[in-house]
Amino acid sequence: SSAPAEARSLAKDAAAEADAAIALDPCNAAPFHILKALALEQQGLVQGAIRSLDAAINSPETSKSLSAPEMADALAKRGSLLLLSARKNMDAPISDLCKSLEIVPDNPEVLCTLARCYEKNKRFVDAEKAYQSAFALDPKSEDAWAGLKRLRP
């Protein structure tokens, strides 16, 4: 079989295993919801991945099993998936990405994703600031460089 088909099959298996782990220990299931979200994303099931991240992040019972950096990563992942799936309204992804940056402020990837949300919302000054911050943290960031070039033709 082809590598992409095998990878999808393994992602499907990972999602099923994550469901089994969630059923065994629902109160400490946030990491398994995140694993499931990543597996669903690999299968192209973005809405399902967002729902799994919602379960990890929004539930008081499960979210307490996440460390601060894990919560920041989960918020950043959900924000990036919401950016992919949102047509116009960037409020939800911007909120998630800002919360992620409150926890772990020096993340150039999250700053670039936030900048793309701002661009999509036509908030070009905010987008430029976010790209500048990302570029200051990682001068080799191609995303930050490309964003700055787009905003400063």
Side-chain angles (χ1 to χ4, degrees), residues 8-138:
R8 274 191 303 279
S9 175
L10 290 171
K12 204 174 209 178
D13 293 345
E17 293 294 331
D19 277 336
I22 291 164
L24 287 172
D25 191 3
C27 290
N28 295 304
F32 303 114
H33 285 292
I34 293 168
L35 174 64
K36 181 179 178 182
L38 296 173
L40 291 170
E41 179 190 16
Q42 286 302 309
Q43 296 172 71
L45 304 171
V46 173
Q47 293 306 317
I50 292 169
R51 282 191 299 276
S52 289
L53 289 165
D54 288 345
I57 295 166
N58 296 344
S59 165
E61 298 83 41
T62 59
S63 65
K64 68 182 176 209
S65 66
L66 292 176
S67 68
E70 288 170 331
M71 178 59 86
D73 287 347
L75 286 162
K77 173 52 79 176
R78 186 172 69 178
S80 68
L81 291 173
L82 287 167
L83 167 62
L84 288 176
S85 66
R87 297 286 177 256
K88 296 222 185 315
N89 189 343
M90 292 290 108
D91 292 347
I94 287 171
S95 174
D96 277 357
L97 295 164
C98 287
K99 286 177 193 168
S100 176
L101 289 166
E102 285 172 18
I103 300 167
V104 179
D106 296 339
N107 189 324
E109 285 181 39
V110 175
L111 284 162
C112 285
T113 306
L114 177 61
R116 282 193 296 282
C117 290
Y118 286 146
E119 277 189 88
K120 213 168 176 179
N121 249 15
K122 302 193 182 333
R123 292 172 56 183
F124 300 117
V125 172
D126 291 329
E128 187 174 348
K129 286 179 189 171
Y131 282 130
Q132 285 174 328
S133 296
F135 192 70
L137 290 167
D138 180 7

